[in-house]
Amino acid sequence: MAVFLTFLNHIRDIKDPEHPYSLEELKVITEDAIEVDDKQSYVRVTFTPTVEHCSMATVIGLCVRVKLMRSLPSRYKVDIRVAPGTHASEAAVNKQLNDKERVAAALENPNLVDMVDECLAPTYG
Amino acid sequence: MELKELQKLEGHKDSVLSLSWNPVTGVGQVPPVFSSCSDDETVRIWQLNPSTRSWDCKAVLEEVHNGPVHSCAWAANGTGLAAACYACIVIWDREGGGYSHSATICAEDEYEVNSACWSTSGYFFASCGGDEVCLWVGTLGNDFEDLEELEGHSKDVRMVQWHPTLDVLFSCSSDSTVKVWWAETEEDSWTCVQTLDESSNGHSSTVWAFSFNAEGDKMVTCSDDLTLKIWQADIKRMQSGHGYAPWNHICTLSGYHDRPIFSVHWSREGIIASGAADGAIRLFVESKDGLMTGPSYQLLLKKDKAHDKDVNSVQWIPGEKRLLASASDDGTIKIWELTEST
C-alpha cells in the first residue's frame, strides 16, 4: 500500500497544461491510476483526459513520465497510457507516450520542455 | 548453452546507441575492432589486446559530431566509418591505426540522421532521417554525389542497410513497414520495389531494425509489436540477373518478448540475437525437428538482465568465433561468448 502511495504523491500535484488545477483535482489521475510491481521494477500509470479529443493528452503523459523519471530509481520501467476508451486517438497517443525515441525527440523541443517544467513546478517542495 | 560475460566496457558517459564490427578485422592475426556510438556525442573504437585478452578503448572520436551519434557503420574495406548525427553524417578515415575526420555530409533537412551506411560494393551510400531515405554515390576518397531522395515512408525511418551482396537498399520505419529500394540499371531511377506491411504479414508497430543471414536469402526484422519476423527471397535468381526477387514472410516469433525489441543480428553461423527494452538478450536458431513444413525457429537461450537498462544494439563478431557485443542505455558495452554450459 505504502509503495503505490509514494508513486501517487510524485504525480498528483502536476498542474494540468490548460487549467489552473492539479491532475488529481481534475480527476485526470486518481488513486486507481497506478499499478506497481516492485519486484519487477515496473509501474503503469493510466490517466483519463478531461475530454475525448484532448489535444493535451500527450503533454500530460510526458509530464507524468518526466516527473517519474526524475523521482524514481532508474531501474523502474514506466508505462503510461490513457484509460481505455477515453480518447479518440488512443493507440496513437499511447504509442507516442511509450516510444523512447519520440519521448527523446519531444524533450528536445524547448517549448514543450518549458510547458512540462511549468506543469511540474507545483510538485517540487 | 550459455552466454558468458567476458568483459564490461565502460567509458561512454551516456546511453550507447549502436555498435559495428570492422569487417576486415578479427581475421588471422588482425585483432578484432569495433566502434560504438552514444548520446554522449562520441564514437569510441575498441580493440582486443591479444596478450591481455582484454578490450581496450583505442580512440575517442569527438568534437565534430553536433549531437548524439545514432549509429556508426564501417565501409566493407574497413577504412571508412560513417557516424550519423544531427542533420549530418560524419565520415572518419582509419589509417595506420589512427583516425581522421575525412568529410561531413549534410543531410537534406534539419532532422536526426538515424542510420547511414555504404553498400558492400562500396559504390553507394545511404542515410535516413525524418521520413526520408537519401541515396548518394560515394566511394571513399571522393566527394559524395547526391543521387536521390527516396520518399515513401510516412513516419521516421529508423534504419537503412544494404543487402550483403547486391546493391539493393532496405529501410525500416516507425510507420511499421520495411521498404526495399532498387534501380534495375544505371539509367533507371531508384524506386520502392516492395513494401513489407501488415498485408504482407508484416509488423503492426515500429520496425526498429533488421538483419540478413550470411547467404543473403533470409532477413529477420524486429519490432515494437514484440515479435521477430523471418523473410525469404530467391536471391540466386536475382544474382543471375532475372530481375527483382520479392521477399516473403515465412515465420513470426511471438510470445518471446514482452517489451520492444530494438536490435536483431544474424550470425554467420545462423544464430539470431535480439536486444530488447527489458535489458535481456535472446538467441534463436532454426529448429530442425521436422514437425513443421517449412523453416521454424526456436529460442536457444534468454539472458535476463544482460544489462540494467534497454539493450539498444547486439552485434555478432564477423568470423568463426561465437562472440557477441551488446550496447545499452546503461552506458556500457558488454562482450559475451556463447559456450556450452559448464
Side-chain angles (χ1 to χ4, degrees):
Chain A
M1 257 309 150
V3 166
F4 93 78
L5 265 185
T6 314
F7 287 93
L8 192 57
N9 286 338
H10 286 310
I11 62 175
R12 67 203 318 168
D13 296 324
I14 295 175
K15 187 185 93 61
D16 182 275
E18 290 180 308
H19 314 290
Y21 296 102
S22 75
L23 296 182
E24 187 175 34
E25 282 164 344
L26 293 171
K27 296 214 191 322
V28 172
I29 301 256
T30 66
E31 276 188 13
D32 298 326
I34 317 255
E35 295 158 77
V36 181
D37 186 337
D38 204 39
K39 252 186 19 199
Q40 300 286 340
S41 299
Y42 170 75
V43 56
R44 180 164 75 175
V45 180
T46 305
F47 69 95
T48 307
T50 47
V51 287
E52 230 186 54
H53 292 274
C54 176
S55 56
M56 288 285 135
T58 49
V59 177
I60 293 171
L62 192 60
C63 289
V64 171
R65 182 172 292 284
V66 171
K67 185 71 206 308
L68 288 179
M69 249 165 53
R70 290 178 185 168
S71 317
L72 296 180
S74 62
R75 64 188 166 95
Y76 273 93
K77 282 252 155 257
V78 178
D79 277 345
I80 305 187
R81 62 171 191 163
V82 292
T86 64
H87 197 281
S89 312
E90 183 175 323
V93 170
N94 286 341
K95 185 166 162 179
Q96 175 80 18
L97 295 180
N98 296 293
D99 179 320
K100 73 172 180 182
E101 293 291 315
R102 300 191 140 224
V103 170
L107 295 175
E108 297 280 315
N109 180 333
N111 294 330
L112 207 39
V113 172
D114 283 345
M115 210 189 285
V116 168
D117 282 338
E118 213 192 284
C119 294
L120 296 189
T123 68
Y124 298 110
Chain B
M1 308 280 328
E2 65 167 314
L3 206 55
K4 200 172 78 171
E5 182 182 325
L6 296 185
Q7 197 176 343
K8 177 164 87 168
L9 306 178
E10 290 170 307
H12 278 297
K13 300 186 174 58
D14 206 333
S15 297
V16 188
L17 304 178
S18 189
L19 301 167
S20 176
W21 289 93
N22 185 312
V24 306
T25 66
V27 199
Q29 305 290 39
V30 182
V33 169
F34 72 91
S35 62
S36 63
C37 61
S38 164
D39 268 342
D40 71 6
E41 308 190 13
T42 72
V43 170
R44 281 173 179 256
I45 311 291
W46 307 85
Q47 184 170 309
L48 180 66
N49 181 327
S51 36
T52 63
R53 309 295 308 161
S54 145
W55 294 83
D56 306 321
C57 179
K58 303 300 280 185
V60 180
L61 311 180
E62 56 190 338
E63 273 165 43
V64 189
H65 313 114
N66 55 1
V69 185
H70 300 283
S71 82
C72 49
W74 296 93
N77 63 10
T79 56
L81 180 66
C85 38
Y86 180 71
C88 69
I89 304 130
V90 174
I91 309 291
W92 296 88
D93 259 357
R94 174 178 185 249
E95 40 182 348
Y99 293 83
S100 61
H101 174 208
S102 155
T104 298
I105 312 174
C106 292
E108 291 302 311
D109 219 327
E110 300 279 297
Y111 49 57
E112 299 287 344
V113 182
N114 290 319
S115 169
C117 55
W118 282 274
S119 64
T120 308
S121 66
Y123 191 67
F124 293 106
F125 185 82
S127 71
C128 65
D131 59 11
E132 65 182 25
V133 173
C134 291
L135 190 62
W136 321 74
V137 170
T139 47
L140 282 165
N142 301 340
D143 287 320
F144 285 74
E145 189 193 302
D146 193 351
L147 201 58
E148 310 220 23
E149 275 151 60
L150 304 173
E151 284 164 8
H153 281 296
S154 56
K155 294 206 180 129
D156 282 3
V157 187
R158 306 248 49 105
M159 179 183 183
V160 282
Q161 201 182 161
W162 293 90
H163 185 268
T165 56
L166 296 164
D167 282 338
V168 182
L169 181 65
F170 293 74
S171 60
C172 65
S173 164
S174 290
D175 68 9
S176 316
T177 73
V178 173
K179 284 182 179 287
V180 188
W181 312 86
W182 185 55
E184 189 150 6
T185 69
E186 262 190 57
E187 286 75 42
D188 292 316
S189 282
W190 284 70
T191 57
C192 174
V193 288
Q194 197 179 3
T195 299
L196 306 176
D197 59 9
E198 277 194 86
S199 67
S200 23
N201 248 310
H203 291 286
S204 54
S205 188
T206 301
V207 184
W208 286 101
F210 54 94
S211 174
F212 295 94
N213 67 348
E215 295 76 29
D217 67 340
K218 290 202 183 69
M219 171 175 65
V220 57
T221 54
C222 67
S223 167
D224 203 62
D225 71 8
L226 315 183
T227 71
L228 298 178
K229 285 177 182 282
I230 315 284
W231 309 80
Q232 187 171 40
D234 188 354
I235 282 301
K236 286 199 168 55
R237 215 176 135 260
M238 197 166 172
Q239 281 165 340
S240 49
H242 290 103
Y244 179 67
W247 291 82
N248 297 303
H249 168 266
I250 58 173
C251 183
T252 294
L253 282 81
S254 57
Y256 297 100
H257 299 83
D258 44 27
R259 302 212 58 100
I261 313 160
F262 293 126
S263 176
V264 70
H265 197 228
W266 213 320
S267 79
R268 293 206 68 78
E269 225 192 329
I271 308 173
I272 297 170
S274 76
D278 61 356
I281 294 172
R282 293 167 175 81
L283 303 184
F284 298 86
V285 288
E286 196 169 342
S287 52
K288 305 238 190 280
D289 55 15
L291 293 174
M292 310 275 298
T293 48
S296 73
Y297 293 79
Q298 64 190 32
L299 181 72
L300 177 64
L301 68 84
K302 176 186 176 195
K303 186 75 185 179
D304 248 322
K305 298 209 187 337
H307 283 274
D308 293 335
K309 293 192 187 172
D310 297 8
V311 180
N312 295 319
S313 183
V314 285
Q315 292 283 302
W316 292 100
I317 196 173
E320 270 76 52
K321 294 218 173 39
R322 289 174 165 180
L323 294 185
L324 181 75
S326 63
S328 168
D329 274 349
D330 68 12
T332 72
I333 296 158
K334 289 190 180 182
I335 309 291
W336 309 85
E337 187 176 13
L338 179 62
T339 57
E340 304 289 338
S341 305
T342 41

